Amino acid sequence: MKYNRTFNFSAGPAMMPECVLEEIRDEMMNYRGSGMCVMEMSHRSKVFQQIVDEAEADLRELMGIPDNYKVLFVQGGGTLQFAMVPMNLMKNGKACYVETGAWSKKAIAEAKKYGEVTVIASSADKNFSYIPDCSDLPIPEDCDYVYICENETINGTTWNKLPNTKGHILVSDQSSMFLSKPCNVSDYGLIWAGVQKNVGPAGMAVVIIREDLIRDDLDPKTPIYMKYKTHADAGSMYNTPNCWAIYCCGKVFKYLKSIGGLEEMHKRNIAKAKVIYDFLDSSKLFKGAVVPEDRSLMNIPFVTGDKDLDAAVVAASKEAGFDNLKGHKSVGGLRASVYNAMPIEGAQALVEFLTKFEAEHK
């Protein structure tokens, strides 16, 4: 397959399926005979209501979301959810967090503003290069929920086995692995995901929350927009939602259904990541930053061990037609994010480039 666009290895905003972008392009000036673009139409119109209803229905089908869970489309991204989760779920004012990288650290710092936070496990001792054993966690009985970042975008680790929460509510930030593989929603009390990695444009999060966790007895000072109940009661239409993001995400949901759902997407993601990891495991210059058993299929951090050489890789990669291979500023090194929309040809082209670079810098 000939690919004419840049292979964008950004951690987000990230690539979207080409066929989805083409469909959006074709509807840009006149959405299905409405005479206007979705960006222009009223969120109270029947046309847009159909868009949001179809998006929710398709997501429910893709993930097998049970009827006793609400699907919310909430403006903002992860930083907003770091606050919304404790504001809405801290009934006893206590929560347990597992610290596995940069994003769980940020979530912990924000949650501490609203209650008592206990870090019950951490992989900080080895620079977040693994997922700690969470089979027997010291969870207090009055803990309101247990929080994990299921895929650490910056550090490149992922959970292959969920923690034993001992009957407590599990909350998961799935931002950088959302819809990348099948998910048993019933294992969670709340799942949230910023959509700018696997699903659509930046500026929105999808929240999947069990109905019994939606509370009306929050602190009276809680901003109305920060209450999950506000969004649940209004079908995500309390105020003008992020109409464009909902529309684009809906297109991606339909695309995922068309290729065979999350099972097929998972197979493709395994194949893509294997191309890169196999190279890293055989390379004498490049080294992966995560233990093999906890490696993310979405975010692949790696290093040469030399900062100047890492910078040379980034510079050369841009000349070769790639983009965003530079590691996050907080950890340095290199990182290839290979989300759902990255074709396997992108992974193969990257390995070809890195192989050539290694041969030239022995």
Side-chain angles (χ1 to χ4, degrees):
M1 172 181 128
K2 185 171 174 57
Y3 198 80
N4 297 317
R5 302 176 70 235
T6 297
F7 288 123
N8 178 9
F9 292 97
S10 171
M15 295 178 73
M16 289 178 63
E18 198 167 289
C19 61
V20 169
L21 292 176
E22 288 170 345
E23 191 173 334
I24 290 169
R25 175 201 62 198
D26 293 343
E27 293 178 348
M28 181 68 74
M29 300 301 289
N30 186 356
Y31 176 75
R32 299 187 183 179
S34 67
M36 64 184 82
C37 174
V38 172
M39 280 190 278
E40 301 171 299
M41 66 177 54
S42 168
H43 62 295
R44 301 298 182 196
S45 66
K46 288 183 179 179
V47 179
F48 185 74
Q49 188 62 55
Q50 183 179 5
I51 290 172
V52 73
D53 288 346
E54 281 188 20
E56 179 177 338
D58 287 338
L59 180 60
R60 283 185 175 277
E61 184 180 339
L62 267 176
M63 296 185 71
I65 299 173
D67 291 341
N68 65 324
Y69 283 74
K70 291 285 189 182
V71 173
L72 315 177
F73 300 117
V74 183
Q75 290 185 37
T79 304
L80 182 68
Q81 291 307 312
F82 293 157
M84 281 187 79
V85 167
M87 287 175 85
N88 283 265
L89 299 189
M90 271 191 176
K91 201 168 187 177
N92 298 319
K94 295 183 180 181
C96 293
Y97 280 63
V98 181
E99 183 187 45
T100 52
W103 293 111
S104 50
K105 281 180 70 175
K106 286 179 182 289
I108 289 164
E110 193 73 2
K112 284 180 177 178
K113 298 175 182 178
Y114 303 100
E116 183 183 324
V117 173
T118 304
V119 177
I120 49 175
S122 175
S123 54
D125 61 327
K126 294 183 179 176
N127 294 318
F128 302 118
S129 61
Y130 71 102
I131 297 294
D133 178 9
C134 291
S135 57
D136 187 19
L137 296 167
I139 304 171
E141 274 303 311
D142 57 352
C143 166
D144 291 311
Y145 62 87
V146 175
Y147 183 105
I148 64 170
C149 177
E150 203 162 336
N151 189 92
E152 285 280 2
T153 318
I154 291 173
N155 302 91
T157 56
T158 200
W159 291 70
N160 291 307
K161 184 180 180 182
L162 294 176
N164 175 9
T165 64
K166 300 179 178 177
H168 293 82
I169 297 157
L170 177 62
V171 176
S172 176
D173 166 7
Q174 287 193 0
S175 293
S176 53
M177 44 81 72
F178 190 55
L179 300 184
S180 66
K181 64 178 184 178
C183 172
N184 184 17
V185 176
S186 296
D187 290 339
Y188 308 80
L190 186 151
I191 295 167
W192 71 263
V195 301
Q196 73 275 16
K197 302 174 185 295
N198 260 339
V199 196
M204 189 178 80
V206 174
V207 176
I208 302 166
I209 180 170
R210 210 171 63 213
E211 289 179 345
D212 63 294
L213 301 180
I214 299 171
R215 296 168 52 206
D216 198 21
D217 60 340
L218 302 181
D219 185 323
K221 293 190 178 109
T222 306
I224 194 162
Y225 196 84
M226 301 284 278
K227 298 177 181 179
Y228 289 129
K229 185 170 174 42
T230 299
H231 303 279
D233 288 350
S236 298
M237 303 285 278
Y238 173 78
N239 66 331
T240 308
N242 190 331
C243 299
W244 184 248
I246 293 171
Y247 163 72
C248 294
C249 291
K251 294 286 187 192
V252 172
F253 300 157
K254 288 188 184 299
Y255 161 76
L256 289 170
K257 286 172 60 179
S258 75
I259 66 167
L262 302 187
E263 290 82 3
E264 174 60 24
M265 195 69 254
H266 192 210
K267 289 178 189 174
R268 297 185 186 189
N269 286 330
I270 290 171
K272 266 187 299 191
K274 186 176 188 300
V275 170
I276 299 174
Y277 283 126
D278 282 354
F279 165 76
L280 292 176
D281 289 342
S282 64
S283 172
K284 289 182 171 58
L285 177 62
F286 298 100
K287 181 184 177 184
V290 175
V291 299
E293 60 268 28
D294 297 327
R295 286 171 168 173
S296 168
L297 298 181
M298 301 282 99
N299 311 102
I300 304 176
F302 57 104
V303 295
T304 63
D306 181 291
K307 288 183 180 180
D308 292 337
L309 204 51
D310 287 346
V313 174
V314 173
S317 70
K318 290 182 178 178
E319 289 289 323
F322 305 119
D323 202 8
N324 292 302
L325 273 176
K326 187 177 181 180
H328 191 271
K329 60 185 178 182
S330 65
V331 295
L334 304 152
R335 174 178 56 176
S337 292
V338 285
Y339 296 122
N340 284 358
M342 173 65 72
I344 195 167
E345 289 82 4
Q348 292 165 342
L350 175 61
V351 166
E352 187 179 326
F353 161 76
L354 293 174
T355 301
K356 183 171 179 287
F357 186 95
E358 180 168 357
E360 293 171 351
H361 291 80
K362 278 186 177 178

